[in-house]
Amino acid sequence: MRILITGGAGFIGSHLCEELIKKGNQVICMDNFITGDKKNINHLFPSPNFQFIEHNVTEHIDIPWGLDYILHFASPASPIDYIKFPIQTLKVGALGTHNTLGLSKTKKAKYLLASTSEVYGDPEVNPQSEEYWGNVNCIGPRGVYDEAKRFAEAMTMAYHRYHKLDTRIARIFNTYGPRMRLNDGRVVPTFINQALKEKPLTVFGNGEQTRSFCYISDLVEGILKLMDSPIHDPINLGNPQEMTILDFTKKILTITKSKSKILFKPLPEDDPKVRRPDISKAKNLLDWQPKVGIDEGLQKTIRHFREKII
Ligand code: UDP
């Protein structure tokens, strides 16, 4: 297949480019490097099956070749990034989704939207199943991402229903692994960086809030299975192993053998108190579930960050 991946130079996008090339596809990677990084894709340039186009997908997209699949992964995705780029985040979720869906219609290509657990906002139910409609503050600082992705899902379903486009929606929960930016502000790279430098681990609030972390190779496998499936309704992809942020600091300190202390800082506005995916649907319909446990995944990730820091 010839596949266009928007946000292909980002953390998840670059892993997808790599995996889809390995499987014999032709990949066109598109990115404007607002939060993506050329270093993530440098190793792919020698492949005859890899092409790169620098472009902002909120502008009209022109591709002179046929396309079989479009994966729309472009977006700032960490809270500090989307608070730094609020308008771009809204535009890539809204205009970028519209442009990629339009392109998909023209090319008669299949389509997969990277959505997020943030559509559930600060959830009042735990775990979150796809049936839950969410609890989002549309005018809060995180609203720019949450609402953009909610709009993106609505637009994708509208193209599916009205234009009969062959679409899919992955609701991606916290994912981690090599190629995350050290300074992207998310808890995994931040704590690893702080632990390796023997600096205090900055825990927001009292650390009782929970998250569930999925290793990148598991997520990529889930996306590939979803691509091959005929499922148009949203599907949660994530690891249901839930832990408090405070327990997560203990894991990081044990694995890195760091002596860092813990520094409590104020909880950011609208920070979700709990997050855990109900993955029954993915298990039943895609025969998918994560295989990499948190210790193994963190060890691999920490190895990668050690090399970056040294
Ligand atoms: N967090 C923290 N310290 C940090 C960064 C994040 O305690 O230095 C917390 C944050 O408040 C949230 C959780 O870790 O409760 C996960 O944050 P992240 O930015 O990774 O993404 P989120 O899951 O909130 O989208």
Coordinates of all heavy atoms in Angstrom, one line a residue, residues 77 79 82 118 142 174 185-188 190-191 194 202-204 209 211 213 245 267-268 271-272 275, ligand 1:
A77 N 0.7 16.9 21.3 CA 0.0 15.9 22.1 C 0.3 15.9 23.6 O -0.3 15.1 24.4 CB 0.2 14.5 21.5
P79 N 0.4 18.0 27.3 CA -0.2 19.1 27.8 C 0.6 20.4 27.7 O 0.1 21.5 27.3 CB -0.4 18.8 29.3 CG -0.6 17.3 29.3 CD 0.4 16.8 28.2
Y82 N 0.4 21.5 23.9 CA -0.8 22.1 23.4 C -1.2 23.4 24.1 O -2.0 24.2 23.6 CB -2.0 21.1 23.2 CG -2.4 20.2 24.3 CD1 -3.1 20.6 25.4 CD2 -2.1 18.8 24.2 CE1 -3.5 19.7 26.3 CE2 -2.5 17.9 25.2 CZ -3.2 18.4 26.2 OH -3.7 17.5 27.2
E118 N -8.2 11.8 25.9 CA -8.6 13.1 26.4 C -10.0 13.5 26.0 O -10.6 14.4 26.5 CB -7.7 14.2 25.8 CG -6.3 14.3 26.6 CD -6.4 15.0 27.9 OE1 -7.2 16.0 28.0 OE2 -5.8 14.6 28.9
R142 N -6.8 22.6 28.7 CA -6.7 21.4 28.0 C -7.8 21.3 26.9 O -7.8 20.4 26.0 CB -6.8 20.2 28.9 CG -5.8 20.1 30.0 CD -6.0 19.0 31.0 NE -5.6 17.7 30.5 CZ -4.5 17.1 30.9 NH1 -3.8 17.6 31.9 NH2 -4.2 15.9 30.4
N174 N -2.3 7.1 27.4 CA -0.9 7.4 27.6 C 0.0 6.3 27.1 O -0.1 5.1 27.5 CB -0.6 7.5 29.1 CG -1.4 8.7 29.7 OD1 -2.6 8.7 29.8 ND2 -0.6 9.7 30.1
G185 N 7.4 17.5 28.6 CA 6.6 17.8 29.7 C 5.8 16.6 30.3 O 5.3 16.7 31.4
R186 N 5.7 15.6 29.5 CA 4.9 14.4 29.9 C 5.7 13.7 31.0 O 6.9 13.7 31.2 CB 4.6 13.5 28.8 CG 3.4 14.1 28.0 CD 2.9 13.2 27.0 NE 3.7 13.3 25.8 CZ 3.3 12.9 24.6 NH1 2.1 12.4 24.4 NH2 4.1 13.0 23.6
V187 N 4.9 13.0 31.8 CA 5.4 12.5 33.1 C 6.5 11.5 32.8 O 7.5 11.4 33.6 CB 4.3 11.9 33.9 CG1 3.7 10.6 33.4 CG2 4.7 11.8 35.4
V188 N 6.4 10.6 31.8 CA 7.5 9.6 31.6 C 8.8 10.2 31.3 O 9.8 10.0 32.0 CB 7.0 8.5 30.5 CG1 8.1 7.5 30.3 CG2 5.7 7.8 31.0
T190 N 9.8 13.3 31.7 CA 10.2 14.2 32.7 C 10.8 13.5 33.9 O 11.9 13.8 34.4 CB 9.0 15.0 33.2 OG1 8.4 15.6 32.1 CG2 9.4 16.1 34.2
F191 N 10.1 12.5 34.4 CA 10.7 11.7 35.6 C 12.0 11.0 35.2 O 12.9 11.0 36.1 CB 9.6 10.7 36.1 CG 8.5 11.3 36.9 CD1 8.4 12.7 37.1 CD2 7.5 10.5 37.5 CE1 7.4 13.2 37.9 CE2 6.5 11.0 38.2 CZ 6.4 12.4 38.4
Q194 N 14.7 13.6 35.1 CA 15.0 14.1 36.5 C 15.8 13.0 37.3 O 16.8 13.3 37.9 CB 13.7 14.5 37.2 CG 13.1 15.7 36.6 CD 11.7 16.0 37.0 OE1 11.0 15.0 37.5 NE2 11.2 17.2 36.9
T202 N 9.3 16.0 40.0 CA 8.3 16.9 40.2 C 6.9 16.3 40.1 O 6.4 16.0 39.1 CB 8.3 18.1 39.2 OG1 8.4 17.5 37.9 CG2 9.5 19.0 39.4
V203 N 6.3 16.0 41.3 CA 5.0 15.4 41.3 C 3.9 16.5 41.4 O 4.0 17.3 42.3 CB 4.8 14.4 42.5 CG1 3.4 14.0 42.7 CG2 5.7 13.2 42.3
F204 N 3.0 16.5 40.5 CA 1.9 17.5 40.5 C 0.8 17.1 41.5 O 0.4 15.9 41.4 CB 1.4 17.8 39.1 CG 2.4 18.3 38.2 CD1 2.3 18.3 36.8 CD2 3.6 18.9 38.6 CE1 3.2 18.8 35.9 CE2 4.6 19.4 37.8 CZ 4.4 19.3 36.4
Q209 N -3.4 11.0 41.7 CA -4.1 10.8 40.4 C -3.4 9.6 39.7 O -2.3 9.3 39.9 CB -3.9 12.1 39.5 CG -2.6 12.4 38.9 CD -1.7 13.3 39.9 OE1 -1.9 13.2 41.1 NE2 -0.9 14.2 39.4
R211 N -2.7 7.0 36.2 CA -2.6 6.9 34.7 C -2.2 5.4 34.5 O -1.8 4.7 35.3 CB -1.4 7.8 34.2 CG -1.7 9.3 34.2 CD -2.8 9.7 33.4 NE -3.0 11.2 33.3 CZ -3.7 11.9 34.2 NH1 -4.3 11.3 35.2 NH2 -3.8 13.2 34.1
F213 N 0.0 3.2 31.6 CA 1.0 3.5 30.5 C 1.1 2.3 29.6 O 1.4 1.2 30.0 CB 2.3 3.8 31.2 CG 2.2 5.1 32.0 CD1 2.1 5.0 33.4 CD2 2.2 6.3 31.5 CE1 2.1 6.1 34.2 CE2 2.1 7.5 32.2 CZ 2.0 7.3 33.6
I245 N 0.5 8.4 40.3 CA 1.7 9.0 39.9 C 2.8 8.8 41.0 O 4.0 8.7 40.6 CB 1.4 10.5 39.5 CG1 0.5 10.6 38.3 CG2 2.7 11.3 39.3 CD1 1.1 9.9 37.0
L267 N -1.1 21.1 41.2 CA -1.8 20.3 40.2 C -2.2 21.2 39.1 O -3.0 22.2 39.3 CB -2.9 19.5 40.8 CG -3.6 18.5 39.9 CD1 -2.6 17.3 39.7 CD2 -4.9 18.0 40.5
P268 N -1.9 21.0 37.8 CA -2.4 21.8 36.7 C -3.9 21.8 36.6 O -4.5 20.8 37.0 CB -1.7 21.2 35.5 CG -0.6 20.4 35.9 CD -1.0 19.9 37.3
D271 N -6.5 18.7 35.4 CA -5.7 17.4 35.3 C -6.6 16.3 35.7 O -7.1 16.2 36.8 CB -4.5 17.5 36.3 CG -3.4 16.5 36.0 OD1 -3.6 15.3 36.2 OD2 -2.3 17.0 35.6
P272 N -6.8 15.3 34.8 CA -7.7 14.2 35.1 C -7.3 13.4 36.3 O -6.1 13.1 36.5 CB -7.6 13.3 33.8 CG -7.2 14.3 32.7 CD -6.3 15.2 33.4
R275 N -7.3 7.7 35.1 CA -7.4 7.3 33.6 C -7.0 5.8 33.5 O -5.9 5.4 33.9 CB -6.5 8.2 32.8 CG -6.7 7.9 31.3 CD -5.9 8.7 30.4 NE -6.3 10.1 30.4 CZ -5.4 11.1 30.2 NH1 -4.1 10.9 30.1 NH2 -5.8 12.4 30.2
Ligands
UDP1 N1 2.8 14.9 36.1 C1 3.6 15.1 37.3 N2 4.8 15.7 37.1 C2 5.3 16.0 35.9 C3 4.6 15.8 34.8 C4 3.3 15.3 34.9 O1 3.1 14.8 38.4 O2 6.5 16.6 35.9 C5 1.5 14.3 36.2 C6 0.4 15.1 35.6 O3 -0.1 16.0 36.5 C7 -0.6 14.0 35.3 C8 0.2 12.8 35.0 O4 1.5 13.1 35.6 O5 -1.5 13.8 36.4 C9 0.4 12.5 33.5 O6 0.8 13.7 32.9 P1 1.2 13.8 31.4 O7 1.7 15.2 31.1 O8 2.2 12.7 31.0 O9 -0.1 13.5 30.5 P2 -1.6 13.4 30.7 O10 -1.9 12.0 31.1 O11 -2.1 14.4 31.8 O12 -2.2 13.9 29.4

